[in-house]
Amino acid sequence: MTATGERVDRVDERDRVIGVVDRGDAITNLWLHRVATTVCRDAEGRILVHRRPETMSRFPGRYNWLVGGGVEAGESYERAAARELTEELGVPAPTVRFAFKFLCRGVISPYWLGVHEAVVTGDLAPDPEEIGWHAWVTESELRDLTGRLPFVPDGVEALRRYTEGRHATRPARCPE
């Protein structure tokens, strides 16, 4: 058992709560649970990219474009996403908008991944235990970076879905 003390909702394949468990146990036993993440954009529309510290237990030194973590038992995806932004980036009372969710067959364990969006203005105060480095990049630069740098694999899958989903709902337009 790999208990973390973090209580999460154990959910089924339709994202319905079937119990409350320790997140470490959910991961070890491959039980579905919930994770909330956010795509952070600045006022110019650029996306925040960050590198996880080498001391992280999961994906040390890997890059990611999503900020987030486990949804606590009884917590909504949106509330968890906002809480994680405050904890990891020092963003006070952020407003997040739900974008989509999907059943992620993650590298470590399966989970429901809720993806949100937020415009982040002002200075960031990243928690050094969560974020070792960060920068703002364009979508084009992000796609290039995911091909060149070691990114968290689940984040790469979420980026594919995010990009496809957004462009599928937009009217066609000429390439920029």
Side-chain angles (χ1 to χ4, degrees):
M1 240 191 269
T2 318
T4 64
E6 184 180 356
R7 304 296 286 171
V8 299
D9 289 325
R10 181 177 173 190
V11 296
D12 65 13
E13 293 79 17
R14 296 172 74 190
D15 198 17
R16 295 177 301 199
V17 177
I18 58 175
V20 176
V21 298
D22 182 89
R23 185 171 182 211
D25 291 341
I27 291 168
T28 299
N29 294 302
L30 305 179
W31 294 332
L32 289 174
H33 56 288
R34 296 172 173 157
V35 172
T37 60
T38 303
V39 178
C40 297
R41 291 184 179 268
D42 67 5
E44 289 83 46
R46 296 176 301 176
I47 297 172
L48 182 73
V49 172
H50 62 93
R51 186 179 64 243
R52 299 167 62 86
E54 294 294 336
T55 55
M56 296 290 289
S57 62
R58 297 182 190 110
F59 306 111
R62 293 276 182 132
Y63 292 82
N64 204 347
W65 69 292
L66 297 169
V67 175
V71 177
E72 295 175 358
E75 188 176 38
S76 70
Y77 282 101
E78 290 82 1
R79 186 175 189 98
R83 175 182 49 77
E84 290 287 341
L85 286 181
T86 298
E87 290 173 4
E88 295 187 16
L89 294 178
V91 177
T95 300
V96 299
R97 184 184 71 78
F98 182 82
F100 66 97
K101 71 178 178 176
F102 69 99
L103 181 54
C104 182
R105 301 292 179 189
V107 173
I108 294 175
S109 78
Y111 56 91
W112 278 95
L113 179 62
V115 179
H116 303 77
E117 297 175 311
V119 175
V120 178
T121 57
D123 295 332
L124 301 179
D127 178 347
E129 293 184 19
E130 299 282 346
I131 296 176
W133 168 91
H134 69 280
W136 296 99
V137 300
T138 65
E139 285 189 45
S140 175
E141 291 168 330
L142 175 59
R143 284 190 298 276
D144 178 59
L145 289 173
T146 59
R148 293 188 300 107
L149 297 174
F151 268 72
V152 173
D154 299 356
V156 175
E157 171 63 15
L159 177 60
R160 183 187 65 77
R161 290 172 182 260
Y162 179 77
T163 303
E164 288 175 1
R166 282 188 34 251
H167 293 290
T169 59
R170 285 186 177 173
R173 63 181 188 177
C174 296
E176 297 174 0

